[in-house]
Amino acid sequence: MQFMNEIPKRSKNRSCLPNCAINFTNCRITIDCTDVFCAVPRQSMKNQRLTYSSYKHRNSFKGLVGVAPNGVLTYASMLYPGSISDKNIVKHCGILTQLESGDLILADKGFLISDIVPNGVSVNIPPFLSTPRFTAEQIQQTKSIARARIHVERAIRRIKGFKILSFIPEPLFDCSSIIFRTACALTNLQYPLIREVSQFYIDVDAPVV
């Protein structure tokens, strides 16, 4: 079952670009990964090791999500074992095949993926501190990126609000990716993350004409 796996073109994003993304008119998607805790696999030591997240100190699955500049959640990968790196998820989930020259990806510092994206695709992450303090330009750049990419974190909070994703028991392992993607899709039925783009949504309370 495949859904939540096609991202809109830049032209589509530009048609409803919010003010927070005005400096990133060529942004195709903002990405981040999230962990979903799971039961310890009982039958396989290998799977126990693969699902153990050294960062979370628990067994988990990990998925990549992406939002358009207007805050709509447009992409959700399948779930991977919790030990996998963010970079490897990006490399193997298939999202790179949809990107085109001129596209921009916004991401957090952990996404060092510039060497694996297609030619002509840019990756914009907050600058690393290589001097005693950030320059004024770096501070402004960090703030600008943060304003644009905070909405993927807000989308993840909504996804995690579904109780079924608080813990995946072993009997649900085989359908965990479908559960994850369904939760991601359902978040788009909630009120828009960015108020100024609500004008592009259908008012469900309005009378049907």
Side-chain angles (χ1 to χ4, degrees):
M1 187 176 184
Q2 295 292 320
F3 59 104
M4 293 298 295
N5 61 348
E6 294 185 8
I7 58 178
K9 302 286 188 179
R10 291 197 308 271
S11 57
K12 181 69 173 180
N13 290 338
R14 287 172 180 164
S15 67
C16 50
L17 198 68
N19 289 329
C20 63
I22 202 67
N23 294 325
F24 307 103
T25 56
N26 61 332
C27 179
R28 185 80 182 272
I29 194 168
T30 303
I31 59 174
D32 204 355
C33 282
T34 185
D35 286 272
V36 179
F37 295 135
C38 68
V40 178
R42 294 174 296 176
Q43 304 300 323
S44 170
M45 291 292 292
K46 178 182 178 181
N47 288 340
Q48 290 178 21
R49 183 176 70 254
L50 289 174
T51 57
Y52 185 78
S53 168
S54 57
Y55 179 71
K56 295 293 185 178
H57 305 292
R58 287 185 62 175
N59 292 79
S60 69
F61 295 124
K62 184 187 287 188
L64 177 80
V65 299
V67 300
N70 66 351
V72 174
L73 207 154
T74 57
Y75 185 86
S77 74
M78 63 179 288
L79 289 178
Y80 292 82
S83 63
I84 192 172
S85 68
D86 296 349
K87 182 175 182 177
N88 278 330
I89 292 181
V90 173
K91 184 176 181 180
H92 293 288
C93 71
I95 193 172
L96 296 180
T97 62
Q98 301 185 52
L99 299 175
E100 303 170 344
S101 179
D103 285 345
L104 170 69
I105 301 173
L106 292 181
D108 200 5
K109 291 182 178 180
F111 285 85
L112 302 178
I113 57 175
S114 295
D115 59 327
I116 63 171
V117 297
N119 290 335
V121 174
S122 303
V123 181
N124 202 330
I125 62 175
F128 287 89
L129 184 61
S130 56
T131 57
R133 63 174 59 185
F134 283 127
T135 64
E137 182 180 358
Q138 287 175 320
I139 292 173
Q140 184 58 41
Q141 180 185 2
T142 300
K143 289 181 178 179
S144 181
I145 296 173
R147 285 184 66 235
R149 70 167 300 278
I150 192 173
H151 303 297
V152 72
E153 298 175 2
R154 296 175 63 206
I156 287 174
R157 284 199 294 271
R158 286 188 174 183
I159 296 167
K160 293 299 209 44
F162 289 92
K163 189 174 181 180
I164 195 170
L165 289 178
S166 62
F167 182 79
I168 303 293
E170 197 165 8
L172 294 183
F173 279 7
D174 289 344
C175 59
S176 59
S177 290
I178 294 176
I179 294 171
F180 177 66
R181 281 176 158 164
T182 300
C184 291
L186 289 174
T187 62
N188 286 330
L189 300 181
Q190 300 178 32
Y191 196 80
L193 283 169
I194 304 176
R195 183 177 295 274
E196 68 182 272
V197 302
S198 61
Q199 60 181 304
F200 300 105
Y201 284 67
I202 297 174
D203 186 352
V204 294
D205 296 322
V208 177
V209 179

